[in-house]
């Protein structure tokens, strides 16, 4: 016998639902009312299976007026195969904000999906991309996924996919690939990507030619590329960027592959790189005009808007009457002065660097090496005594360069903070200061460097006013109940600062240091270990500066060193200033020396200008790095800054012919870049071009009605637990639960956790549970309510039948809680995918079943909320329910008709959001599985007149 998908069968003494994975001789079944963890298979030749049907409620088991709502919500919340317009909503552990639905709708209107998601830092781009993944998986349009990202973000992507979207991926990194190959016992010619359907892959690991070819051969149907701007051409850099570009270019050549690009900085001020990035979406986008404003370019804007979304926080903070809480950022500047000893040392280093850059021996190339080495040394001296000593003892990165181009490239990368860890470099290593002429044994230059290094080491501790002032600032943050992160430029500085804090802070404060010297997995483990301490301070380098979510455990940032790339500051602050931060306010402290010439120039030329632009536009606009303007502007200050009471003179003489004053021109270019970014954000916020708010509202409302909203979860959880004997108290936006007096079976389902604190919406504080639709506690409670209702011997808070007298009706009305099941079939080209969809509906009628007058959905919902106004004796309630049950055959035609109608509506909803007509060869069909399950029968009677 063939059993259709969604039909009921009886086997092993219970009822089951037939799942789509079933085959001719093998039935894959889920227990009726059970969860996905209870799915099993039955081999038909060995075990008997027979058709089954859902019995009507027993009229003798009547409940109170809460039963109908409890039962309806339990059925909705226990189902993972939702029948709304989005197949994925029942399987995710987040309730998307309305603005996060926009990229999903955009993606579902493309075939293949080619998207660039460029919302601001902290808005939730990962969730937006993963929503698309989950939806395509649940529609059967993809079966495999790869996420390409920097190595330090791999574990975070893996965790987000699993915890929020129930996608279990393997992290393929340099340190895990061999272990995974052993785990899966690969055969000859097999790839990890052949056997692992879901992977999170280090871009640094996969970009080499051999691994790239292996990946391309076995590449999944959908690829997400995080920090996608690092794959664009047009930036200064070594071969790593070109390899990444080549990899993505080869991926997009497959016109059937879905590609989602994710980055908060798509433009970065470089038009060539931006067009290179857009060309991944469509090769024709490479030739889009630079300025797309004005009526003549509207067709260009509309074409790009189909694939490109870019929103500021202001665009989505109040979207569709839903507020998204982002923390307020309290910004402050803090300063320090060099101690007399440190000032003296700084002057010695300045004198040394002046002499070095004046030295013309060895020709122009050796001069440029000395120039960049001098600048690197000045940066390290300004950072810490530890970084200064390390630089004085190490060889310059430019020392072995063979031509001017290589010297300039290495110098700019190491000095101007352009290093990227996914290029295989450690971006926080202190640069070297030694040049070729400094390494001759016994030379005066070598002895001088060694003497300066020893002198630097003696400045550690009390003579370092920068550290001492920072300790006071950290104490103030801790006293104000903040958990701060201190960002340092170099590894020696971070380790030095962490050591100083441990020595001076109270013993109950835990200080941890995380740098690029640690593998990515060890960094995450160290942060997790630190988070368990109530009072904590994290000292780190750029290795935690981009893409890492730290808002759960930290709420303040201090820039111990100033970056020469001000966009880094925005990224660092974005680790705590993002959606999900539980505090209303976060702090950001920009820390610099008032008599340190390096800090002074960076503050004057870069940082404050960057902040003014961000304050004006509400977004961070990167320095326009497609010119040498940033280099020249900083050097202008370093070379020609005016001194009090003196004529303008260079700090470091030399190269005037190369480094001419460019500050005005630099600011002009930056302002122009900011204006372009403002226009771009306005054009591609998606409020008027590709997806309209009313479309989002319609689909989101439909999805919430099908599966329940966070408010439904909250109401059900609180009221159901109270009815089970739990004590529930409200504490602001949180609720405290005590399950000590609830039935043992329920406590066991909560894993013995009798007392806990929870919220039903993000953000949540540490130690507070976020109870969402798919949280194990919510799922356990829904299953408990449903299981006990179906068990006639159980002590149930919800019965499947009931009758009340209420002023809400003037004529007898009956409310049916009905569960429909559908076989949803997707056919694309040669393949066919079958899926089970379930939906819980309220159907209501007035009068007797034989002469029923059917009510609309709104009236049915109103009955659900009706309150009793007179007592209804149990025997009387039983009699009214029995009348409905005895004449139930009269209702079946209308229920079947409703099933067919809802199947048509479901089909239309799926076609509407996916735009199936645009997919070559795609066809959908939806078939209801009859008879429907009548979960409950509830009769509502008018209040009897006195005397009756």
């Amino acid at each position: 016998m063939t059993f259709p998908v969604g039909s009921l069968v009886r086997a092993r003494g219970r009822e089951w639902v037939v799942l789509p994975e079933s085959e001719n001789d093998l039935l894959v079944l889920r227990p009726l009312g059970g969860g996905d963890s209870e799915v099993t298979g039955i081999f038909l030749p060995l075990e008997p299976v027979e058709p089954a049907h859902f019995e009507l409620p027993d009229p003798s088991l009547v409940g109170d007026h809460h039963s109908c709502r409890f039962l309806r919500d339990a059925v909705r919340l226990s189902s993972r195969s939702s029948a709304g317009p989005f197949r994925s909503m029942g399987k995710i552990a987040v309730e998307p904000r309305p603005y996060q639905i926009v990229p999903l709708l955009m993606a579902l209107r493309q075939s293949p999906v080619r998207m660039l998601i460029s919302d601001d830092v902290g808005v939730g781009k990962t969730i937006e991309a993963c929503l698309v993944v989950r939806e395509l998986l649940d529609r059967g349009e993809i079966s495999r996924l790869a996420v390409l990202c920097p190595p330090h973000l791999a574990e975070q992507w893996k965790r987000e996919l699993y915890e929020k979207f129930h996608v279990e991926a393997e992290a393929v990194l340099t340190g895990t690939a061999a272990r995974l190959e052993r785990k899966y016992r690969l055969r000859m010619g097999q790839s990890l990507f052949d056997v692992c359907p879901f992977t999170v892959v280090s871009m640094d690991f996969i970009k080499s030619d051999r691994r790239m070819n292996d990946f391309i051969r076995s590449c999944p149907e959908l690829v997400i590329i995080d920090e996608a701007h690092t794959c664009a051409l047009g930036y200064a850099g070594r071969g790593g960027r070109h390899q990444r570009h080549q990899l993505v270019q080869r991926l997009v050549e497959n016109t059937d592959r879905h590609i989602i690009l994710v980055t908060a900085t798509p433009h970065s001020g470089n038009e060539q790189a931006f067009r290179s990035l857009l060309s991944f979406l469509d090769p024709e986008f490479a030739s889009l005009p630079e300025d797309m404003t004005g009526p003549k370019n509207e067709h260009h804007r509309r074409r790009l808007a189909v694939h490109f979304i870019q929103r500021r926080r202001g665009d989505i903070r109040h979207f569709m009457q839903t507020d998204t809480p982002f923390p307020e950022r309290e910004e402050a500047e803090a300063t320090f002065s060099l101690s007399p000893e440190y000032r003296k040392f700084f002057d010695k280093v300045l004198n040394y660097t002046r002499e070095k850059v004046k030295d013309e021996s060895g020709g122009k190339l050796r001069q440029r090496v000395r120039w960049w080495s001098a600048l690197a040394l000045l940066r390290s001296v300004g950072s810490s005594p530890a970084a200064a000593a390390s630089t004085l003892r190490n060889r310059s990165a430019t020392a072995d360069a063979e031509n001017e181009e290589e010297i300039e490239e290495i110098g700019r990368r190491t000095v101007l903070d352009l290093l990227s860890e996914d290029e295989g470099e450690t971006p926080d290593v202190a640069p070297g200061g030694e040049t070729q002429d400094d390494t001759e044994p016994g030379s005066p230059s070598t002895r001088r460097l060694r003497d300066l290094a020893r002198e630097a080491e003696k400045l550690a501790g009390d003579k370092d006013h920068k550290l001492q002032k920072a300790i006071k600032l950290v104490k103030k943050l801790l006293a104000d109940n903040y958990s701060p992160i201190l960002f340092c430029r170099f590894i020696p500085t971070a380790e030095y600062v962490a050591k100083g804090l441990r020595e001076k802070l109270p013993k109950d404060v835990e200080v941890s240091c995380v740098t690029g010297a640690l593998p990515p997995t060890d960094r995450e483990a160290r942060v997790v270990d630190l988070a368990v301490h109530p009072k904590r301070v994290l000292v780190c380098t750029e290795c935690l500066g981009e893409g890492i979510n730290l808002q759960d455990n930290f709420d303040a940032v201090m820039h111990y060193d100033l970056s020469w790339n001000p966009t880094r500051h925005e990224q660092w602050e974005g680790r705590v200033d993002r959606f999900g931060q539980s505090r209303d306010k976060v702090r950001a402290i920009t820390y610099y020396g008032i008599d340190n010439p390096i800090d002074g120039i960076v503050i004057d030329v870069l940082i404050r200008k960057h902040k003014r632009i961000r304050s004006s536009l509400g977004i961070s606009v990167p320095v326009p790095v497609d010119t040498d303007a940033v280099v020249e502007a900083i050097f202008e200050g370093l070379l020609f800054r005016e001194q009090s009471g003196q004529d303008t003179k260079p700090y470091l003489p030399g190269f005037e012919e190369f480094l001419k004053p460019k500050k005005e021109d630099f600011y002009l270019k930056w302002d122009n870049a900011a204006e372009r970014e403002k226009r771009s954000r306005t054009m591609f916020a998606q409020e008027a071009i590709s997806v309209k708010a009313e479309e989002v509202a319609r689909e989101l409302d439909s999805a919430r009605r099908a599966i329940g909203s966070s408010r439904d979860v909250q109401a059900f959880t609180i009221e159901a637990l109270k009815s089970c004997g739990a004590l529930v108290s409200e504490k602001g936006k949180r609720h405290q639960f005590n399950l000590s007096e609830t039935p043992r079976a329920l406590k066991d389902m909560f894993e013995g956790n009798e007392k806990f604190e929870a919220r039903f919406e993000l953000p949540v504080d540490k130690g507070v549970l976020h109870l969402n639709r798919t949280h194990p506690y919510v799922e356990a409670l829904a299953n408990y309510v449903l299981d006990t209702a179906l068990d006639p011997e159980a002590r149930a808070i919800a019965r499947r039948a009931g009758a009340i007298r209420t002023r809400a009706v003037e004529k007898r009305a009956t409310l049916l809680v009905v569960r429909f099941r559908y076989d949803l079939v997707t056919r694309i080209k040669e393949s066919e995918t079958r899926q089970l969809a379930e939906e819980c509906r309220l159907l209501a009628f007035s009068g007797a079943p034989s002469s029923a007058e059917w009510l609309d959905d709104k009236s049915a919902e109103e009955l659900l909320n009706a309150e009793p106004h007179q007592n209804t004796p149990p025997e009387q309630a039983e009699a009214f329910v029995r009348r409905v049950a005895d004449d139930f055959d009269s209702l079946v035609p209308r229920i079947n008709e409703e099933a067919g109608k809802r199947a048509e509506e479901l089909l239309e909803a799926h076609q509407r959001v996916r735009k199936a007509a645009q997919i070559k060869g795609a066809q959908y069909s939806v078939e209801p599985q009859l008879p429907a399950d009548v979960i409950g029968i509830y009769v509502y009677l008018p209040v009897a007149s006195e005397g009756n």
Side-chain angles (χ1 to χ4, degrees):
M1 177 180 290
T2 302
F3 297 98
V5 172
S7 61
L8 290 185
V9 297
R10 183 169 181 82
R12 300 178 183 176
R14 65 188 302 187
E15 281 71 39
W16 307 77
V17 179
V18 178
L19 298 182
E21 295 80 8
S22 299
E23 299 175 356
N24 291 335
D25 289 334
L26 178 67
L27 283 186
V28 180
L29 307 174
R30 188 192 67 210
L32 186 62
D36 290 341
S37 61
E38 301 175 87
V39 169
T40 191
I42 291 182
F43 188 53
L44 291 177
L46 298 182
E47 291 191 66
V49 177
E50 59 186 24
H53 67 277
F54 200 79
E55 298 288 346
L56 289 176
D58 184 347
S60 67
L61 298 175
V62 292
D64 62 17
H65 70 287
H66 293 298
S67 290
C68 184
R69 175 173 287 281
F70 282 161
L71 207 53
R72 192 278 300 264
D73 287 344
V75 173
R76 284 201 303 179
L77 296 176
S78 62
S79 173
R80 296 292 170 262
S81 304
S82 64
F86 302 113
R87 297 292 294 124
S88 60
M89 291 302 175
K91 298 183 179 179
I92 60 178
V94 292
E95 181 175 5
R97 316 298 292 184
Y99 72 83
Q100 291 173 328
I101 297 295
V102 176
L104 175 58
L105 285 174
M106 291 172 59
L108 293 178
R109 295 177 179 186
Q110 302 175 31
S111 181
V113 177
R114 294 288 168 98
M115 285 196 70
L116 173 54
I117 302 177
S118 298
D119 288 341
D120 272 354
V121 173
V123 164
K125 293 181 293 297
T126 300
I127 288 178
E128 292 171 345
C130 289
L131 279 172
V132 179
V133 171
R134 185 72 258 182
E135 185 66 24
L136 293 182
L137 282 171
D138 292 333
R139 286 173 173 269
E141 295 181 27
I142 64 168
S143 59
R144 299 188 301 144
L145 161 75
V147 178
L148 303 183
C149 65
H152 62 283
L153 298 181
E155 288 300 323
Q156 181 171 285
W157 267 101
K158 180 180 176 180
R159 186 171 58 252
E160 289 284 296
L161 282 165
Y162 179 71
E163 292 180 355
K164 292 185 172 67
F165 298 91
H166 306 291
V167 174
E168 191 166 1
E170 296 281 13
V172 183
L173 310 168
T174 302
T176 66
R179 175 179 58 80
L180 289 173
E181 288 172 353
R182 291 193 298 272
K183 172 183 175 181
Y184 288 99
R185 299 179 180 179
L186 301 183
R187 299 191 304 271
M188 181 69 68
Q190 237 184 358
S191 162
L192 271 175
F193 307 105
D194 291 320
V195 298
C196 299
F198 310 118
T199 54
V200 178
V201 187
S202 162
M203 181 71 84
D204 185 39
F205 170 79
I206 208 67
K207 70 187 181 188
S208 69
D209 290 341
R210 181 179 63 83
R211 294 177 181 136
M212 183 189 302
N213 291 334
D214 181 45
F215 179 67
I216 295 293
R217 179 183 61 79
S218 306
C219 186
E221 311 99 290
L222 171 58
V223 178
I224 295 175
I225 300 165
D226 194 18
E227 306 297 345
H229 60 279
T230 66
C231 303
L233 290 179
Y235 290 97
R238 293 192 300 190
R241 183 179 297 277
H242 291 274
Q243 285 180 304
R244 290 194 297 277
H245 177 82
Q246 182 185 10
L247 169 60
V248 179
Q249 190 62 54
R250 291 181 63 185
L251 290 175
V252 302
E253 286 173 358
N254 183 334
T255 56
D256 292 327
R257 180 170 290 125
H258 306 287
I259 301 286
I260 301 176
L261 308 175
V262 179
T263 174
T265 53
H267 198 288
S268 300
N270 185 315
E271 288 296 334
Q272 180 186 352
F274 182 51
R275 292 301 181 275
S276 169
L277 193 62
L278 294 182
S279 70
F280 293 147
L281 306 174
D282 186 330
E284 294 183 6
F285 289 162
S287 57
L288 286 173
E290 183 172 323
D291 184 358
M292 288 195 290
T293 59
K296 69 177 182 178
N297 288 316
E298 182 178 357
H299 66 291
H300 291 310
R301 295 196 298 272
R302 289 190 173 278
R303 279 188 60 213
L304 183 54
V306 171
H307 304 273
F308 180 37
I309 185 165
Q310 184 179 43
R311 297 171 293 185
R312 298 170 293 187
R313 291 187 181 189
D315 297 324
I316 50 86
R317 192 183 296 271
H318 310 290
F319 183 71
M320 279 179 44
Q321 301 179 330
T322 300
D323 292 338
T324 298
F326 291 107
E328 177 185 342
R329 190 185 301 184
E330 292 183 340
E331 296 183 299
E333 291 184 358
T335 62
F336 65 91
S337 297
L338 297 173
S339 66
E341 296 86 350
Y342 214 118
R343 175 76 262 179
K344 182 178 179 181
F345 173 70
F346 210 117
D347 288 341
K348 285 185 179 181
V349 174
L350 281 172
N351 289 332
Y352 171 78
T353 53
R354 287 192 186 102
E355 293 174 16
K356 297 298 289 183
V357 298
K358 282 181 181 178
D359 185 356
E360 297 181 359
S361 64
K364 187 176 180 180
L365 289 181
R366 303 324 305 168
Q367 276 188 295
R368 294 303 296 160
V369 170
R370 286 189 285 269
W371 169 260
W372 285 110
S373 300
L375 202 56
L377 177 56
L378 289 176
R379 286 214 67 185
S380 296
V381 170
S383 178
S384 70
S390 177
T391 298
L392 286 161
R393 285 194 168 99
N394 292 327
R395 187 174 177 81
S396 169
T398 59
D400 298 318
E402 298 180 354
N403 54 61
E404 184 175 359
E405 182 181 356
E406 187 178 359
I407 292 170
E408 297 304 310
E409 180 185 332
I410 296 173
R412 286 189 171 89
R413 275 203 331 274
T414 54
V415 176
L416 301 181
D417 299 348
L418 299 180
L419 281 175
S420 174
E421 187 173 18
D422 62 349
E423 291 177 354
E425 300 165 328
T426 305
D428 46 8
V429 171
E434 292 181 342
T435 58
Q436 195 172 41
D437 44 317
D438 295 321
T439 57
E440 298 175 6
S443 70
S445 180
T446 301
R447 290 196 299 272
R448 193 171 178 185
L449 286 173
R450 296 295 178 265
D451 290 342
L452 286 172
R454 286 190 289 269
E455 191 170 341
E457 290 169 341
K458 293 177 182 178
L459 295 172
D462 293 341
K463 294 177 183 178
D464 181 7
H465 287 183
K466 179 181 182 181
L467 175 63
Q468 300 310 315
K469 177 68 175 288
I471 293 171
K472 293 179 181 178
L473 293 170
V474 171
K475 286 181 176 179
K476 179 65 168 59
L477 288 170
L478 291 168
D480 292 341
N481 200 31
Y482 282 91
S483 299
I485 305 172
L486 279 70
F487 278 99
C488 304
R489 176 63 181 87
F490 304 117
I491 293 175
T493 299
E495 294 172 343
Y496 164 77
V497 171
K499 180 176 181 292
L501 289 171
R502 291 191 190 102
E503 292 172 352
K504 294 296 180 70
L505 293 179
K507 297 302 181 184
D508 62 340
V509 178
E510 185 71 15
V511 179
S512 191
C513 180
V514 176
T515 71
L518 292 171
T521 52
D522 291 352
R523 299 173 205 170
E524 182 173 11
R526 189 166 292 188
V527 172
V528 170
D529 291 343
L530 178 62
V532 303
H533 297 274
K535 295 182 179 181
R536 53 191 176 271
V537 178
L538 174 62
V539 183
C540 65
T541 61
E542 169 64 18
C543 72
L544 293 183
E546 192 171 54
I548 298 289
N549 297 333
L550 299 173
Q551 75 276 10
D552 290 341
N553 302 304
F554 301 94
D555 42 35
V557 166
M558 179 178 175
H559 305 293
Y560 189 84
D561 290 325
L562 299 181
S563 174
W564 283 23
N565 181 351
T567 308
R568 303 277 188 182
H569 284 224
E570 181 70 16
Q571 289 282 356
W572 295 346
E573 292 167 14
R575 299 313 97 219
V576 301
D577 180 11
R578 58 197 303 115
F579 177 65
Q581 171 61 252
S582 60
R583 291 190 72 125
D584 295 332
K585 295 181 179 180
V586 296
R587 288 189 183 174
I589 300 175
T590 302
Y591 187 49
Y592 64 95
I594 57 176
D595 54 356
N596 177 337
I598 305 295
D599 283 0
I601 296 306
V602 175
I603 280 285
D604 289 345
V605 177
L606 291 175
I607 304 299
R608 288 182 180 143
K609 175 67 174 178
H610 183 264
K611 286 185 176 181
R612 284 196 297 272
I613 292 175
R614 192 188 68 196
S615 176
S616 172
L617 297 185
I619 53 173
S620 175
V621 178
V623 175
V625 294
D626 55 331
T627 71
D628 287 332
V630 61
V631 180
E632 296 169 7
I634 293 176
F635 284 1
E636 176 190 358
L638 288 171
L639 293 170
F640 303 109
R641 193 180 186 200
E642 292 188 7
Q643 300 298 298
S644 177
Q646 302 179 14
D647 294 333
T648 300
K649 67 176 186 179
Y651 265 74
L652 299 175
F655 298 99
E656 289 84 358
E657 74 282 358
F658 177 74
L659 300 170
K660 297 177 181 178
K662 294 285 186 179
K663 185 174 179 179
E664 294 293 331
D665 185 49
F666 167 50
Y667 279 178
L668 177 62
K669 290 174 180 173
W670 204 349
D671 287 336
N672 289 340
E675 185 60 32
R676 285 196 303 270
E677 189 72 6
K678 179 181 178 181
R679 292 196 299 268
S680 177
R681 297 274 172 161
T682 301
M683 287 188 288
F684 301 109
Q686 302 301 318
E687 291 189 0
I689 298 180
S690 183
V691 176
K692 300 184 184 301
E694 55 267 26
E695 297 177 73
V696 179
R698 176 179 62 182
E699 309 304 352
L700 195 55
D701 180 64
S702 180
R704 286 172 174 169
R705 281 190 284 108
I707 66 171
S709 67
S710 60
R711 291 184 180 180
D712 296 321
V713 173
Q714 178 174 342
F716 170 76
T717 304
I718 292 172
E719 295 306 319
L721 284 176
K722 282 182 178 179
S723 296
C724 290
L727 297 176
V728 183
S729 58
E730 193 169 348
K731 184 179 178 182
K733 296 180 179 180
R734 295 174 289 177
H735 289 81
Q736 294 175 328
F737 296 87
N738 184 336
L739 275 57
S740 58
E741 299 301 319
T742 61
R744 171 57 59 186
L746 180 60
K747 283 188 283 193
D748 290 344
M749 296 177 80
F750 277 66
E751 301 172 339
N753 190 8
E754 294 187 6
K755 296 181 180 180
F756 57 91
E757 198 168 12
R759 274 197 68 181
F760 295 91
E761 289 187 344
L762 293 172
V764 297
D765 294 322
K766 185 172 178 58
V768 178
L769 299 179
H770 174 218
L771 294 185
N772 52 66
R773 187 182 185 278
T774 61
H775 191 281
Y777 287 4
V778 176
E779 184 175 15
L781 181 60
N783 286 333
Y784 176 82
V785 171
L786 187 55
D787 289 344
T788 53
L790 295 174
D791 184 353
E793 304 298 326
R795 173 188 162 192
I797 64 168
R799 290 298 184 185
R800 296 180 59 199
I804 65 170
R805 291 192 178 273
T806 176
R807 297 191 185 98
V809 298
E810 297 179 354
K811 180 180 178 181
R812 183 180 67 177
T814 302
L815 186 62
L816 306 177
V817 179
V818 182
R819 176 170 55 197
F820 294 120
R821 280 189 295 274
Y822 310 93
D823 181 10
L824 175 59
V825 182
T826 304
R827 298 180 182 87
I828 300 179
K829 298 181 179 178
E830 302 289 327
S831 65
E832 177 180 284
T833 304
R834 309 187 80 91
Q835 297 166 293
L836 171 65
E838 295 180 322
E839 180 178 36
C840 186
R841 298 276 297 182
L842 298 177
L843 303 180
F845 63 90
S846 62
S850 58
S851 57
E853 298 177 12
W854 291 90
L855 307 178
D856 58 24
D857 290 345
K858 182 180 178 183
S859 298
E861 195 72 32
E862 289 172 351
L863 283 178
L864 188 70
N865 297 314
E867 294 288 333
H869 295 101
Q870 275 184 343
N871 290 332
T872 307
E875 61 274 11
Q876 193 178 91
E878 178 184 345
F880 280 110
V881 174
R882 193 173 297 279
R883 291 180 195 175
V884 177
D886 289 345
D887 198 12
F888 192 78
D889 288 346
S890 302
L891 304 175
V892 171
R894 178 55 186 257
I895 294 174
N896 291 347
E897 179 185 339
E898 186 68 22
K901 176 184 173 184
R902 284 297 300 150
E904 292 177 2
E905 292 175 356
L906 178 59
L907 176 60
E908 190 276 330
H910 280 267
Q911 290 175 329
R912 184 175 65 242
V913 298
R914 191 62 179 102
K915 296 284 186 181
Q918 298 177 7
I919 306 174
K920 297 178 182 178
Q923 292 181 326
Y924 286 120
S925 65
V926 181
E927 292 294 331
Q929 294 302 309
L930 301 175
D933 300 340
V934 178
I935 306 293
I937 299 175
Y938 303 91
V939 181
Y940 298 82
L941 306 164
V943 172
S945 60
E946 293 185 10
N948 289 344

